[in-house]
């Protein structure tokens, strides 16, 4: 029984390298989806902390409006980070996006409350939420491309499926953390002072160690063979967005990718 598997170009791929690649791709997906999802799981606490609930009964709805805003920013993040990935490399771009969302999520955990700075608190909250959405847009496409281009021959579907597993595990983790902390996420606990008053910050501040781990893993991995070959041969695209719609075949593939999901 052999300890090697065939790579896309016919060469032998080291299983240990494949595992590192999968870890690098999935750790970012996990961090991104945890950071993205925890906002929704903590909606009640965010409404209490960042809005004047005594004057408005729509605080929770406003939090979910902030949650929705990020979905409109995702396509922009995908386009910008996709272009960056095609120009500077998939690996460097993925290091960038995992740090970006980690900083944004930790920033939410460090924000002053409405009671401290007034309307600036929800404004900063929405801004950081937009940064999260931009980052998730770049991560989703970037990590899948990274995994697909590293995948050995005949293993692309399997290798990229791990990213989907990581995304659902991240959402499950966020749900469990929020559920475990639910006794400290009500108005009485948050407004009561003491340790309970800042317990809502913990799920967001967990982005710091997660981001550091993700940064370390991704910094240690090489870029995809496909990108390295294009870079050496001078074949990197000057306008990847234009090329994505340059032929009828490409346009059809892009339309299907955009609208079927």
């Amino acid at each position: 029984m052999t300890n090697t598997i065939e790579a896309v170009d016919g060469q032998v791929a080291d299983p240990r390298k494949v595992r590192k690649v999968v870890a690098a791709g999935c750790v970012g997906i996990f961090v991104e989806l945890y950071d993205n999802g925890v906002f929704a799981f903590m909606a009640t606490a965010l409404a209490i902390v960042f809005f004047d609930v005594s004057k408005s009964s729509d605080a929770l709805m406003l939090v979910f409006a902030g949650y929705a805003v990020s979905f409109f920013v995702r396509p922009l993040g995908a386009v910008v980070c996709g272009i960056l990935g095609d120009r500077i490399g998939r690996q460097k771009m993925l290091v960038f996006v995992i740090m970006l969302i980690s900083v944004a999520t930790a920033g939410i955990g460090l924000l002053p409350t409405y009671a401290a700075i007034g309307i600036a608190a929800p404004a900063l909250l929405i801004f950081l939420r937009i940064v999260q959405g931009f980052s998730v847009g770049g991560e989703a496409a970037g990590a899948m491309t990274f995994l697909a281009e590293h995948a050995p021959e005949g293993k692309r579907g399997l290798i990229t499926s791990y990213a989907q597993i990581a995304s659902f595990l991240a959402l499950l983790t966020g749900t469990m953390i929020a559920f475990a902390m639910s006794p400290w996420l009500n108005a009485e606990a948050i407004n009561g002072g003491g340790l309970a008053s800042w317990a809502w910050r913990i799920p967001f501040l967990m982005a710091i160690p997660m981001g550091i781990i993700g940064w370390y893993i991704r910094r240690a991995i090489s870029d995809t063979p496909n990108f390295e070959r294009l870079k050496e041969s001078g074949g990197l695209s000057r306008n990847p967005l234009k090329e994505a719609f340059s032929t009828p075949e490409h346009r059809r593939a892009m339309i299907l990718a955009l609208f079927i999901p």
Side-chain angles (χ1 to χ4, degrees), residues 21 24-29 32 90 93-94 97 136-149 159-160 163 218 224:
V21 166
C26 291
V27 70
I29 289 284
E32 296 272 354
R90 287 59 161 118
M93 187 276 294
L94 290 175
V97 293
V136 171
E139 173 71 31
M144 294 296 282
T145 301
F146 182 79
L147 291 173
E149 292 187 355
I159 295 298
T160 54
R218 285 189 166 177
T224 69

Side-chain angles (χ1 to χ4, degrees), residues 45-52 108 111-114 118 121-122 125 200-201:
L46 294 176
I48 296 168
V49 170
F50 290 104
F51 295 91
D52 188 353
I108 293 176
L111 279 180
T113 65
Y114 183 91
L125 177 69
W200 66 271
R201 299 180 185 273

Side-chain angles (χ1 to χ4, degrees), residues 166-192:
S167 68
F168 289 115
L169 286 176
L171 294 174
L172 176 62
T173 301
T175 305
M176 293 175 67
I177 290 174
F179 176 75
M181 295 190 63
S182 56
W184 299 279
L185 301 180
N186 54 61
E188 183 179 357
I190 292 173
N191 296 326

Side-chain angles (χ1 to χ4, degrees), residues 14-67:
D14 185 347
R16 290 174 297 180
K17 183 178 180 180
V18 173
R19 287 194 291 270
K20 289 180 180 179
V21 166
V22 171
C26 291
V27 70
I29 289 284
F30 184 93
V31 173
E32 296 272 354
L33 268 294
Y34 168 83
D35 290 354
N36 183 63
V38 76
F39 188 99
F41 304 142
M42 304 292 291
T44 301
L46 294 176
I48 296 168
V49 170
F50 290 104
F51 295 91
D52 188 353
V53 293
S54 64
K55 296 181 179 180
S56 174
S57 60
D58 297 327
L60 188 60
M61 187 178 295
L62 291 172
V63 170
F64 278 112
Y67 182 74

Side-chain angles (χ1 to χ4, degrees), residues 83-93 223 227 231 236:
I83 292 173
L84 283 175
D86 284 343
R87 290 184 175 177
I88 67 174
R90 287 59 161 118
Q91 182 261 351
K92 290 181 180 179
M93 187 276 294
D223 218 319
F227 178 82
K231 185 177 180 180
L236 295 178

